[in-house]
Amino acid sequence: MAKLGIILTLVGAGMIEMALTDPEAGIGIKIFMTICGLIFLIPGIWLDKWAIEELKKKIDKSKEEGEGFFTSTAKNLKSAFTKLMLPGYGAEPDKNKLETALTSFRNHLSEFYSTAAPVENASIQADVTQIYRNILEYRRNRLRNKGISLRFESVRKNYGNKAVSSKNYFDGKYEISEVREDIAAKTVFVKDDKPVFTRVDKDIAFYTITKTKQIGINNVICPNCGNTTDRDNLLDGCDFCHTKFMIEDLGTRVSDFALRKDYDIEYQKYKDARRKMFYWVCFIWGSICVLFSLFFAIKSAPEIGSEENLGPIMMIMITLMSVVIAGGFLTAIGVGAFMIWVFPWIQLGASFSHVSKKILSKLEKSSENDAASEKRVRSFDNNFSIAGFFSNIQNKLAVIHYAESAAQINTFSLCDMTGFLERYKDVIDMEIKYIALDNYRVDKGLQVAEVSADVRLTGYNGKKCTARNESLKLVLTKAADCKTQVVCGPSVMTCHHCGSSISLLDGRLCTQCGNDIGLERYDWVIREYKV
């Protein structure tokens, strides 16, 4: 509105000035132009007055908030300019309880990694399941042993149409929410107050969130046997299976969290990169064209003014119009030529870079294969989720790469992984670059999944960090009668032989009697692992 007021005022004043100063114009023309000028001038002045009042309100508000008006205006302009030039820029605020919970979890995760407090006293304990808490401790212990602390920062972004999406279902024991969140994360590894390695992720965060199923006002589904009972009974021991639960077992918990690349998001960022380049070309080339147009307009203005006897206001308007028309015309020609003849070569060069169509094609093919694999597995397991399955595998790979003992590295495997301890002893970070379900079948009472994955490992030898890539082939199995479900119930963490509590930090064998907890009955385990 303020811009419109200024334009109307200038046009109206220019027409009146021209009518009063043109010696060759007749009285009729002068009256007509003056009336037309007033038609533009009066509403322009009214809009200018309204804009000034609004400006005063903003200044007063800025003073009340303790921030100068010009500082506030500069921040707003910077934000608007950055969003124009950098699509997807800026954090997305929490809009509901789910988004607030995700933000809280990521903040607690950052706190967990950056402090040396025992896991039992960490805020993250209230956010995650028992098993996932043990998996997080594997990584933090490796960093502690290296004398490294980790700073994890993350914000929600919006690369596509919706920053957070979720799907919900009941797996027979828990209410499950599988959540996808657009995210930008920065992980800094620090030793002796100096960064030794920094990792930046602009991808998708995948969460699996669980809670007990509520039936009516007081009753819930027992997560162990599936019978309906009172919540208080579960704390004393389920009337049917006698399993005792803690309050945290019955609340909302994160059982998986993983950062991975996603075709839709990568394609959106690829389009944003093209759009960003278009904006920058328009801005830079347009600025050059406008400056040249302004130079020639100012240079030729005296000659035009002397020949036409125009007043100063009209000369300013004619100069500005010339600059806009000439600058816009030259900008359109230059940008058009760039997009037609230059940009295709830049795209060709980008085919060897991270934002290339070559990588996009691989991700697209992987996305199509994932959809087909998920459909195939769901013919046997209605609730199977490829995203949840990959997060599960990613967590098991983390345990393998951060394990410190034979018991730990064999926690989720039936094959002996002890020989890999030396290979992975210096790993401080593991990034999944690609993961795919190559084959799935049900055979002899077992579900069998063949998985391939490309990982990037960062190692620290005490002096410097080095990175290497690794391609993995895995064969995983799970009991055929164990359909999709989260693995977090107390029954899994209790020895069925002697009743002792089991911590996965000690491996899958009971430390009291040596009995194997038999994870294959509850979850995927690794039968083959090849590099």
Side-chain angles (χ1 to χ4, degrees), residues 56-217:
K56 287 181 179 179
K57 290 179 182 179
K58 289 184 178 180
I59 292 174
D60 294 337
K61 183 179 179 180
S62 298
K63 288 180 179 178
E64 291 176 2
E65 295 176 351
E67 187 177 61
F69 170 73
F70 292 104
T71 302
S72 176
T73 302
K75 286 183 178 180
N76 291 335
L77 289 173
K78 180 181 178 181
S79 176
F81 178 80
T82 309
K83 286 183 178 181
L84 175 66
M85 293 299 179
L86 302 174
Y89 170 84
E92 287 285 312
D94 298 332
K95 300 183 182 68
N96 50 51
K97 290 183 178 180
L98 172 61
E99 295 185 3
T100 300
L102 299 181
T103 301
S104 176
F105 164 74
R106 286 189 278 101
N107 290 338
H108 289 163
L109 184 63
S110 175
E111 178 186 332
F112 171 75
Y113 279 131
S114 62
T115 62
V119 67
E120 291 80 8
N121 298 329
S123 301
I124 196 72
Q125 182 177 354
D127 298 330
V128 300
T129 61
Q130 297 178 59
I131 291 181
Y132 185 50
R133 189 175 64 197
N134 290 156
I135 291 172
L136 292 176
E137 190 74 356
Y138 270 87
R139 186 185 194 190
R140 195 173 71 161
N141 284 343
R142 169 61 58 84
L143 296 175
R144 281 179 177 176
N145 293 338
K146 297 288 184 182
I148 294 175
S149 62
L150 188 150
R151 298 172 186 169
F152 177 75
E153 302 172 0
S154 59
V155 294
R156 181 180 306 116
K157 306 296 282 292
N158 190 351
Y159 302 118
N161 296 324
K162 197 173 182 181
V164 177
S165 60
S166 65
K167 62 178 181 179
N168 309 300
Y169 62 90
F170 177 58
D171 74 347
K173 295 185 177 182
Y174 288 92
E175 290 274 19
I176 309 297
S177 294
E178 290 194 341
V179 182
R180 289 164 48 104
E181 180 184 33
D182 294 6
I183 198 173
K186 182 179 181 181
T187 308
V188 182
F189 297 78
V190 180
K191 176 147 176 101
D192 299 329
D193 295 325
K194 295 181 180 179
V196 294
F197 174 66
T198 300
R199 171 179 160 186
V200 176
D201 294 283
K202 294 182 179 179
D203 303 290
I204 288 284
F206 292 91
Y207 304 80
T208 302
I209 300 177
T210 70
K211 65 178 179 180
T212 51
K213 185 175 179 64
Q214 189 81 25
I215 304 295
I217 299 176

Side-chain angles (χ1 to χ4, degrees), residues 237-383:
C238 175
D239 293 337
F240 297 92
C241 66
H242 308 296
T243 302
K244 292 183 179 181
F245 294 82
M246 295 182 291
I247 288 291
E248 67 177 35
D249 296 319
L250 308 179
T252 301
R253 290 291 181 270
V254 175
S255 62
D256 285 304
F257 169 71
L259 296 173
R260 287 196 304 278
K261 297 193 180 301
D262 176 84
Y263 167 71
D264 292 332
I265 297 304
E266 288 299 308
Y267 182 62
Q268 184 64 40
K269 290 192 288 185
Y270 175 75
K271 291 194 298 183
D272 284 347
R274 293 180 61 184
R275 191 184 316 146
K276 186 169 35 173
M277 181 174 293
F278 176 78
Y279 288 153
W280 277 110
V281 170
C282 287
F283 176 72
I284 295 173
W285 180 248
S287 299
I288 294 172
C289 292
V290 168
L291 288 175
F292 272 104
S293 300
L294 183 61
F295 172 76
F296 286 111
I298 293 175
K299 186 176 180 181
S300 59
E303 298 177 5
I304 296 174
S306 62
E307 292 177 1
E308 303 295 337
N309 294 319
L310 300 175
I313 295 179
M314 284 302 299
M315 282 305 305
I316 293 174
M317 292 183 62
I318 290 174
T319 301
L320 291 176
M321 290 179 64
S322 301
V323 170
V324 170
I325 294 173
F329 180 71
L330 293 173
T331 300
I333 293 177
V335 173
F338 175 85
M339 299 303 292
I340 293 173
W341 289 305
V342 179
F343 188 71
W345 290 99
I346 295 178
Q347 275 190 304
L348 182 63
S351 64
F352 302 100
S353 73
H354 178 70
V355 295
S356 70
K357 279 200 169 183
K358 182 179 179 181
I359 292 179
L360 283 173
S361 297
K362 182 177 181 180
L363 287 172
E364 182 179 24
K365 184 177 180 181
S366 174
S367 178
E368 293 172 352
N369 290 340
D370 292 345
S373 297
E374 185 175 68
K375 184 177 179 180
R376 185 169 67 253
V377 178
R378 282 187 176 181
S379 64
F380 178 79
D381 182 353
N382 291 332
N383 289 325

Side-chain angles (χ1 to χ4, degrees), residues 477-497:
T477 58
K478 183 172 72 167
D481 59 355
C482 179
K483 302 296 178 69
T484 296
Q485 61 180 23
V486 292
V487 187
C488 56
S491 59
V492 181
M493 306 299 292
T494 302
C495 177
H496 294 276
H497 184 261

Side-chain angles (χ1 to χ4, degrees), residues 400 406-420 473-477 508 516 520 525-530:
I400 290 172
Q408 289 182 351
I409 202 169
N410 289 309
T411 298
F412 295 108
S413 65
L414 298 179
C415 57
D416 187 9
M417 301 285 295
T418 308
F420 288 94
K473 292 287 186 181
L474 297 89
V475 176
L476 301 105
T477 58
R508 70 172 190 271
D516 193 321
E520 196 173 35
V525 295
I526 300 171
R527 278 188 174 266
E528 295 181 20
Y529 182 93
K530 297 179 181 179

Side-chain angles (χ1 to χ4, degrees), residues 386-397:
I386 196 75
F389 175 73
F390 286 157
S391 295
N392 187 320
I393 303 305
Q394 191 164 338
N395 286 330
K396 288 175 171 54
L397 290 178

